[in-house]
Amino acid sequence: MILHSVLMRLKAAVTGEEKQSLFESIVALKQVIPGILDIKYGPNVSPEGLHAGYVDGFAVTFESPEARDAYLVHPDHVAVGERIVSSLDGGLGGLIVFDLQV
């Protein structure tokens, strides 16, 4: 399995409603892209204070590296990804992606 973790530094102007809508569009990918086992999202809750401004994120669990690779190029993911990037402070600079084999 692959745990695909995405940390985001959203623009200050993004409202709570816009953020919720963005996360809902990410969760909806599970219904259209094969191989997604689970999607979780939310704010950073670590008390360590080491978030470097990346205070929101989500994690997608894939059944295999191949499922993750298919997700990356899937048109629905590409569309959601563009929406995410347009909501970030600094565009792609407001994004960290980290994949773990679990």
Side-chain angles (χ1 to χ4, degrees):
M1 290 190 305
I2 297 290
L3 180 63
H4 176 72
S5 303
V6 180
L7 307 177
M8 302 182 300
R9 190 175 58 224
L10 294 168
K11 293 176 183 174
V14 173
T15 68
E17 282 183 2
E18 291 169 331
K19 188 186 303 187
Q20 185 61 35
S21 174
L22 187 62
F23 284 130
E24 288 171 2
S25 69
I26 295 164
V27 169
L29 295 173
K30 185 175 183 209
Q31 304 306 315
V32 296
I33 302 177
I36 295 176
L37 301 176
D38 192 30
I39 300 176
K40 301 284 189 218
Y41 66 89
N44 177 34
V45 296
S46 173
E48 295 178 289
L50 300 173
H51 54 72
Y54 295 87
V55 296
D56 292 289
F58 63 95
V60 182
T61 305
F62 293 98
E63 64 186 16
S64 67
E66 295 79 15
R68 184 260 332 263
D69 295 348
Y71 158 90
L72 292 176
V73 296
H74 192 283
D76 289 346
H77 168 258
V78 171
V80 171
E82 289 172 357
R83 185 173 168 204
I84 290 169
V85 171
S86 71
S87 300
L88 297 174
D89 182 19
L92 283 176
L95 186 75
I96 295 174
V97 177
F98 190 87
D99 288 0
L100 289 172
Q101 187 142 10
V102 294

